[in-house]
C-alpha cells in the first residue's frame, strides 16, 4: 500500500458539531484529494490540493473546508456536521509525474446522528 | 460535466468463466480510462489503465477502449472467487489531475 493513513478510522458525532478528518502521506506526492462514497453515488470529489496551501473545490464541496499546511497532511473539516454528511470518506494522492494514478487511503467511516 | 456510467449489478458469473464489465462515457474527447477494484469495506485500488483505442492485457485482465462507441470494458478471464468485488471505472477530468468515477459494478464469482 502507498503510505497513506487516515484518522480517525471511525467516528460518530452529533449534528451541529465540528469534525476534522486527517489524511497523512509519506510519499511526498504533490496532489491530495478528499472523496466521499455513498451507495448509488460512487466516489465524489469534495476538495483537492495541488500543493501546500493550494486547494480547490470538487463537485460536492458545500459544507466542507480543507487545509494543507504541509506536503504530507491534508485536513478535511465539516464546520457543522449534518446527517447528510454521514458517509465513508477517502483520501487519495497522486504524483505530479503521473497525476492519473491515484492511490487511496483506508477510509474514515463517519456517522452523524 | 463528464459522466461515466456503469451498471450497478450484481453481475454473477461461475468460477472459471469470463466476467465482462462495461462502462460508457459522455466525453468524446476522453483519452484514457482506469479500472479500480474495491473489496467490501476496503479502499479502491488501481488494477488497469488504458490510454489508446483497442485492447490492453495484463494477466487475466483485459481492458478494451472503443472511442467510436464511447465505452470501455474490463474482461476478467478464469474468474476466481477472490475477484468478487466492486469494479469502478474512472476517467481524467479538469486537466488530468482529477478523476470522475462511475458508480461501480458489483461482481460475484460463484463456486
Amino acid at each position: 500500500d502507498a503510505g497513506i493513513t487516515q484518522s480517525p478510522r471511525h467516528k460518530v458525532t452529533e449534528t451541529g458539531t465540528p469534525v476534522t478528518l486527517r489524511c497523512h502521506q509519506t510519499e511526498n506526492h504533490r496532489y491530495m484529494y478528499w472523496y466521499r462514497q455513498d451507495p448509488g453515488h460512487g466516489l465524489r470529489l469534495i476538495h483537492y490540493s495541488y500543493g501546500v496551501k493550494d486547494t480547490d473545490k470538487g463537485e460536492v464541496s458545500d459544507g466542507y473546508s480543507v487545509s494543507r499546511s504541509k506536503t504530507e497532511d491534508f485536513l478535511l473539516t465539516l464546520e457543522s456536521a449534518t446527517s447528510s454528511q454521514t458517509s465513508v470518506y477517502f483520501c487519495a494522492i497522486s504524483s505530479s509525474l503521473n497525476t492519473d494514478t491515484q492511490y487511496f487511503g483506508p477510509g474514515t467511516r463517519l456517522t452523524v446522528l | 460535466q463528464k459522466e461515466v456510467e456503469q451498471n450497478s449489478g450484481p453481475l454473477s458469473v461461475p468460477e472459471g468463466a469470463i466476467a465482462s464489465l462495461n462502462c460508457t462515457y459522455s466525453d468524446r474527447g476522453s483519452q484514457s480510462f482506469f479500472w479500480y477494484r474495491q473489496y467490501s469495506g476496503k479502499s479502491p485500488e488501481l488494477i488497469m489503465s488504458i490510454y489508446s483505442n483497442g485492447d490492453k492485457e495484463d494477466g487475466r485482465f483485459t481492458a478494451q477502449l472503443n472511442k467510436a462507441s464511447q465505452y470501455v470494458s474490463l474482461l476478467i478471464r478464469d474468474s476466481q472467487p477472490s475477484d468478487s468485488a466492486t469494479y469502478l471505472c474512472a476517467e481524467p477530468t479538469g486537466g488530468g489531475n482529477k478523476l470522475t468515477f462511475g458508480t461501480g459494478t458489483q461482481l460475484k464469482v460463484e463456486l
Side-chain angles (χ1 to χ4, degrees), chain A:
Chain A
D1 291 344
I4 313 169
T5 57
Q6 292 183 232
S7 58
R9 295 293 313 281
H10 301 273
K11 187 172 182 65
V12 179
T13 191
E14 294 188 350
T15 297
T17 60
V19 176
T20 296
L21 308 182
R22 180 185 184 228
C23 177
H24 178 79
Q25 59 142 333
T26 58
E27 305 295 323
N28 200 36
H29 280 1
R30 176 181 177 185
Y31 295 92
M32 299 185 75
Y33 311 83
W34 276 109
Y35 292 91
R36 60 178 290 175
Q37 187 172 39
D38 306 287
H41 290 280
L43 282 162
R44 292 181 292 175
L45 183 65
I46 305 172
H47 281 280
Y48 70 101
S49 170
Y50 45 96
V52 174
K53 298 190 188 303
D54 292 323
T55 64
D56 205 349
K57 297 178 180 180
E59 64 176 305
V60 290
S61 59
D62 287 348
Y64 301 94
S65 62
V66 290
S67 65
R68 190 170 179 197
S69 59
K70 298 184 290 185
T71 298
E72 57 267 35
D73 290 326
F74 193 31
L75 304 180
L76 177 70
T77 297
L78 291 65
E79 301 291 346
S80 178
T82 67
S83 58
S84 64
Q85 293 176 312
T86 292
S87 186
V88 179
Y89 291 86
F90 287 103
C91 174
I93 64 174
S94 65
S95 73
S96 44
L97 293 179
N98 189 358
T99 58
D100 293 343
T101 303
Q102 294 187 13
Y103 300 95
F104 284 81
T108 294
R109 182 172 294 277
L110 176 67
T111 301
V112 184
L113 301 176

Side-chain angles (χ1 to χ4, degrees), chain A residues 31 33 37 99-100 102 105, chain B residues 34 36 38 43 46 96-98:
Chain A
Y31 295 92
Y33 311 83
Q37 187 172 39
T99 58
D100 293 343
Q102 294 187 13
Chain B
F34 306 89
Y36 283 78
Q38 185 176 23
S43 56
L46 181 68
N97 61 345
K98 295 184 290 184

